[in-house]
Amino acid sequence: MSAVVRARRAVRETVSGLPPAFWWLWTSTLVNRLGAFVATFMALYLTLDRGYSATYAGLVAALHGLGGVISSLGAGVMTDRLGRRPTLLVAQVATALSVAALGFVHHPVAIAAVAFLVGMASNASRPAVQAMMADIVRPEDRIRAFSLNYWAINLGFAVSSMAAGFIAEYSYLAGFLIEAAMTLVCAVVVFVKLPESRPVRSAETVARENSVSLGTVLRDGRFMSVVGLSFLIALIFQQASVGLPVAMGEAGFTPADYGMAVAVNGVLIVALQIPVTRFIQHRDPGRLLVISSVLAGYGFGLTAFAGSVAVFALTVCVWTLAEIVNAPTQTGLVVRLSPVHGRGRYQGMYTMSWSVAALVAPLMSGFVIDRFGAEWLWAACAVIGSVAGLGYGLLMRRLPADEPTAGVSKEEAVRPEVSAS
C-alpha cells in the first residue's frame, strides 16, 4: 500500500463518524481563529506602536487575563443553567463589540479597561464550547474530536499569525476590526446551525444540577489537582504570546519576524495533529502528560539560546510537539473527571486555570524581562515544566483506570435537547 493511500485512509478514519453538529462547532472555531489578532499581537501593539514599556504591556495582558478569570466561573454556571448555545452567542457578540472598541481607545487607562472586557467576553465561550463538544460526541471519540478542534484552532492560527504580522505593519486598527467581524460570523454560525446540546433535564437531573455547586468542584481533590497542573502548563504556553514577542522586539526583530516564527506552531499542528492523534489515542495518558510537560518547559527554555528567526522557529518546533500531545490528552482527562450534570461548572474551573495563567504570565514575563533579562524567563519555564511533569506522574498513579460518570444514566448522558432556541 502506497504512502498516499495510507495517508488518505488515516485521514478518513480520523474524521469519520462524528455528528454534523460537531463539524459546525468546528467551523465556528476555525473562523474565530482565522480572525485572531488581539491576543497574539497585543504586546507588540503596546510596546512598538504605542511606545509603552514591557511592564505596562504585561499589566494590560494581565487585566485581559483577570477578565477571563472572572468570566470563566460565571460562564460555567451559565452553561449549565441557561444552556451551551445562549452562552456561546452572548460571549461571541460581546467579544466582537469589545474587540472593535479596543482599536479606537488610546488613553492607557481606557486601553486597560477595554482589554479587561475583552478578556471577560472572549473567555466566556470556552466552557460552553467544551461542554457542547462533550455532549455531542461519543465518549470513545472525544480524544479524536478534541484533537480535530485543536487542529482547527491552529490551522486558523497559522494563517492569521502570518497575515496579522503584515497587517500590523500597515494598521493595527484593521486587525482589531477584522477580528471583530470574524467573531460576529462565528455567532451567526452558532445561531443558524447549532441546536442546544445540553442533555434533557428531568426532575432528577435538575436536582443533580442543583447539588453540584462551585464548592463541590473545589472539594474534588483529583480534579483540582488537574486544574493546578493545567495552570503550570498554561503559564508556560502563555509565553508564546506575552514573553516571546516582547523578547524578540527588544532584540530588534520586527512584528513580521515574530509572526513568521510563531506561525511554525500552527503549521506544525496542522501537519502533525492528525497522525499524532492516531498514535496517542490509546496510549497511557499519564506518560503522555509527563512527556509533554517536560518538552514544553525545555522547549521554551531553549529560547534563551536563539539569535535568529530560524533558531526561534526551531524552539517553537520543540514546544509545539508538547502542545500537540498535551492539549487533547488533558482535555480528555478533564471531561472524564466531570459529571454530565455539572459539566459547565467543571469546564469553567478548568478554563479558569488558563485564565489565571493569562493573568500571571504577563506580569511574570514583563517583570523578569525588565529586571533580569529574557534568559531568566526561559530558565523559569524549564523549571516549571519539570515540576508539572513530576506532578502529572504522581497524580496519574492515584487515578483509577477508568470510571463512569457518577450518578448519570447512559441514556441521559447521550440524549441531547433538540430545541434550536
Side-chain angles (χ1 to χ4, degrees), residues 29-327:
T29 298
L30 176 61
V31 172
N32 179 269
R33 295 307 299 172
L34 284 170
F37 183 87
V38 171
T40 304
F41 283 89
M42 176 60 77
L44 289 174
Y45 169 65
L46 294 174
T47 56
L48 297 184
D49 188 67
R50 292 294 170 190
Y52 295 114
S53 67
T55 300
Y56 174 77
L59 174 63
V60 172
L63 287 172
H64 181 278
L66 178 61
V69 171
I70 293 173
S71 69
S72 294
L73 297 180
V77 175
M78 284 179 60
T79 298
D80 282 338
R81 292 288 180 88
L82 301 181
R84 286 59 159 143
R85 186 172 178 265
T87 304
L88 266 177
L89 288 172
V90 170
Q92 289 173 341
V93 172
T95 300
L97 295 176
S98 57
V99 165
L102 188 59
F104 290 99
V105 295
H106 301 293
H107 192 279
V109 175
I111 291 174
V114 178
F116 171 77
L117 295 177
V118 172
M120 285 191 66
S122 60
N123 280 277
S125 64
R126 292 182 182 180
V129 169
Q130 297 289 356
M132 179 176 280
M133 197 168 297
D135 292 339
I136 63 182
V137 175
R138 296 178 301 178
E140 61 268 26
D141 292 331
R142 282 175 184 157
I143 294 294
R144 183 159 58 100
F146 291 138
S147 293
L148 286 168
N149 189 66
Y150 202 68
W151 187 78
I153 290 172
N154 286 279
L155 175 61
F157 178 75
V159 175
S160 66
S161 60
M162 287 187 288
F166 294 100
I167 293 172
E169 294 188 345
Y170 169 73
S171 169
Y172 281 94
L173 176 60
F176 290 119
L177 295 179
I178 289 171
E179 177 164 348
M182 297 291 272
T183 306
L184 283 178
V185 172
C186 295
V188 171
V189 171
V190 171
F191 182 77
V192 174
K193 291 294 185 179
L194 281 174
E196 177 57 60
S197 69
R198 184 175 55 180
V200 172
R201 304 170 75 219
S202 63
E204 183 181 358
T205 303
V206 172
R208 289 197 190 104
E209 287 179 2
N210 292 334
S211 70
V212 178
S213 65
L214 292 177
T216 306
V217 182
L218 289 170
R219 290 191 295 271
D220 189 334
R222 287 184 303 172
F223 181 79
M224 291 307 298
S225 296
V226 173
V227 170
L229 293 171
S230 170
F231 165 75
L232 295 180
I233 294 299
L235 198 62
I236 297 172
F237 284 127
Q238 284 290 330
Q239 302 308 323
S241 58
V242 292
L244 185 59
V246 172
M248 290 186 69
E250 290 194 348
F253 294 95
T254 67
D257 291 332
Y258 166 69
M260 293 299 292
V262 80
V264 173
N265 171 258
V267 171
L268 275 182
I269 291 177
V270 169
L272 299 180
Q273 187 74 64
I274 290 177
V276 170
T277 296
R278 290 173 58 82
F279 178 76
I280 69 174
Q281 190 167 5
H282 302 295
R283 296 185 181 273
D284 177 21
R287 184 174 301 174
L288 294 174
L289 289 169
V290 170
I291 293 172
S292 62
S293 299
V294 174
L295 269 180
Y298 284 88
F300 276 95
L302 290 173
T303 309
F305 304 99
S308 67
V309 175
V311 179
F312 276 112
L314 183 61
T315 66
V316 171
C317 291
V318 177
W319 54 259
T320 295
L321 290 175
E323 193 175 0
I324 290 172
V325 174
N326 182 272

